[in-house]
Amino acid sequence: MVPTPHATLAPLLARHAGRAHELLPLLHALQDADGYVDPAHVPAIAAALNLSRAEVYGVITFYHHFRSAPPPSTVVQVCRAEACRSRDGEALVAHIEACTGAHIDGDACNGVGVESVYCLGQCALSPAVTINGELHARVSPARFDALLADAVASEEGRHD
């Protein structure tokens, strides 16, 4: 038995029903709406698109972009591509891990998650990071500290 989809999923399933080739657009839309793709929705997605649950699960787990759990309140993405590495990007990663307590591509700590990305398109302005989707270039450890403090304060302000 396929569980009843929740409010976000139902219209997406209706829009993409029977079109297996639209799995990626559906997953992107679901993640954009909810922040992640709930594993409980895999059976409903598979049924709607005439795919196996294994095919849907395989796509979700293959692409690093998709989350299967709600994101932390603050998400830091650090470019780990060559240009950023050549401009002390790995030292920045070490600083970010020490500053946040979160390990890159690991579990979040104190509401902050740190993820690797490979090229944010700022090679001439490296190293680059995003914080909650906002792009920052020429990021030094001191600048990162200020950016993170602003992002955390902004996030806390939304919940007050």
Side-chain angles (χ1 to χ4, degrees):
M1 180 172 154
V2 176
T4 304
H6 77 329
T8 303
L9 183 59
L12 291 173
L13 293 180
R15 187 175 335 143
H16 298 281
R19 299 185 192 113
H21 66 280
E22 292 187 15
L23 175 59
L24 281 173
L26 185 152
L27 294 174
H28 278 286
L30 185 58
Q31 181 154 304
D32 289 347
D34 292 347
Y36 72 108
V37 179
D38 190 332
H41 298 319
V42 169
I45 294 168
L49 298 183
N50 278 338
L51 295 169
S52 72
R53 288 181 300 205
E55 288 172 303
V56 175
Y57 178 79
V59 170
I60 293 168
T61 57
F62 177 79
Y63 291 104
H64 189 260
H65 170 77
F66 294 119
R67 299 177 186 282
S68 57
S73 56
T74 302
V75 177
V76 177
Q77 294 182 317
V78 186
C79 181
R80 313 262 329 258
E82 290 78 12
C84 287
R85 282 179 180 262
S86 72
R87 303 280 311 265
D88 294 327
E90 290 306 294
L92 181 60
V93 168
H95 173 80
I96 291 170
E97 288 180 323
C99 177
T100 63
H103 293 289
I104 197 154
D105 300 321
D107 292 333
C109 184
N110 298 319
V112 178
V114 183
E115 304 172 348
S116 296
V117 292
Y118 292 90
C119 196
L120 292 169
Q122 300 297 305
C123 299
L125 304 173
S126 59
V129 303
T130 67
I131 300 177
N132 292 339
E134 187 174 331
L135 180 62
H136 305 279
R138 292 191 175 130
V139 179
S140 66
R143 182 157 183 247
F144 174 79
D145 293 347
L147 292 168
L148 182 64
D150 288 348
V152 169
S154 175
E155 189 61 34
E156 288 171 354
R158 280 185 255 208
H159 295 294
D160 288 341

